[in-house]
Each structure stands twice: as C-alpha cells, then as structure tokens.
C-alpha cells in the first residue's frame, strides 16, 4: 500500500515538482545560447524557455488553488498525534502522522482495520515540538 499524505500536501507537492521542473527546463534551454549552437541553439532556448515558463505558471496556479482550499478546510486535532491539522472533504489524512481522518460515520474504519491497527506496536507521540507555557 502506498503511504499517502494529506490532500493539501499532495497539491503542494505537485506545485513544487512543476516549479522545479520548469526551472530545470529553462536552465537546459539556456544551454543552446551558452554553448553557442547558432540559430538552432536559439530555437531550442526559446522552446525550452516557453515550456518552462508555462510549467511555472501552472505551478503558481496550483499553489494558489491549494491556498484557497486550505482557507476553507476544517481544522481539527489529530486523535493520533494530537497536532492541529486541516481536512479537505469527507476523509483526509493527518499532515503529520498520516492517520486517516473522517467526520462522516459512514467512512470510519471497520473493526477489522481497528484490530489490525491495535496489533501494531503502539508509539508514544513525540511532543517535543509543542510549546509548553511556563
């Protein structure tokens, strides 16, 4: 089974991948000008720069979309790690510990899944990152 992340983090991952890919394409395109490949090098540079720019614009759109979704997401405390996380839709995963979260009783894990989870080694949540008032 693939270990998935929360929906908001998945959108951010795709935005980051498109940003890095767009920058890489633009750098590769510059090779046509830097290594002086003549007229063909300029054409390669223009094509790769345009593709890289489109990739960067799509990534900007994805980041904007993820930000808008994040503002309307339900914020709740994860029952597993106790940290504040955001949930999109009826089911989602915790941003930190990847626990499946739901607010709809129809989508709650069945008893079979709960017994399998109970047989796993229980870990104490690491709360060193939390701010403790004095």
């Amino acid at each position: 089974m693939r270990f998935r992340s929360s929906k908001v983090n998945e959108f951010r991952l795709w935005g980051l991948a498109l940003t890095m890919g767009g920058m890489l394409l633009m750098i590769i395109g510059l090779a046509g000008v830097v290594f002086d490949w003549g007229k063909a090098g300029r054409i390669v540079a223009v094509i790769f720069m345009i593709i890289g720019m489109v990739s960067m614009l799509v990534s900007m759109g994805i980041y904007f979309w993820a930000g808008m979704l994040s503002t309307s997401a339900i914020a709740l405390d994860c029952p597993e790690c106790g940290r504040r996380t955001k949930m999109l839709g009826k089911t989602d995963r915790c941003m930190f510990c990847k626990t499946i979260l739901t607010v709809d009783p129809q989508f709650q894990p069945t008893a079979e899944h709960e017994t399998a989870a109970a047989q796993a080694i229980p870990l104490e949540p690491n709360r060193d990152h939390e701010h403790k008032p004095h």
Side-chain angles (χ1 to χ4, degrees):
M1 179 178 153
R2 190 170 151 242
F3 209 55
R4 295 186 52 117
S5 179
S6 70
K7 293 175 188 171
V8 173
N9 283 348
E10 290 282 330
F11 290 135
R12 290 177 183 155
L13 173 74
W14 281 106
L16 179 65
L18 284 172
T19 300
M20 294 298 145
M23 285 194 291
L24 181 66
L25 284 173
M26 286 192 263
I27 290 169
I28 290 171
L30 281 177
V33 175
V34 171
F35 295 126
D36 196 25
W37 293 343
K39 189 158 182 80
R42 287 190 211 131
I43 292 172
V44 167
V46 167
I47 290 171
F48 275 81
M49 287 290 218
I50 289 173
I51 294 171
M53 184 179 64
V54 168
S55 174
M56 297 281 285
L57 288 173
V58 169
S59 121
M60 185 180 69
I62 288 175
Y63 271 118
F64 179 77
W65 184 35
M68 290 295 106
L69 285 174
S70 182
T71 60
S72 64
I74 299 169
L76 51 93
D77 293 326
C78 175
E80 196 72 26
C81 66
R83 295 173 77 177
R84 196 89 170 147
T85 187
K86 292 185 176 182
M87 190 173 95
L88 291 175
K90 294 183 180 182
T91 62
D92 203 353
R93 292 185 181 260
C94 175
M95 290 181 179
F96 307 103
C97 68
K98 315 293 189 268
T99 301
I100 297 174
L101 304 171
T102 183
V103 291
D104 193 352
Q106 175 185 356
F107 295 108
Q108 285 184 347
T110 61
E112 299 165 358
H113 292 95
E114 290 175 4
T115 57
Q119 290 175 355
I121 300 171
L123 297 174
E124 290 294 321
N126 184 2
R127 300 195 178 205
D128 294 338
H129 63 278
E130 294 178 0
H131 175 72
K132 308 251 188 307
H134 294 43

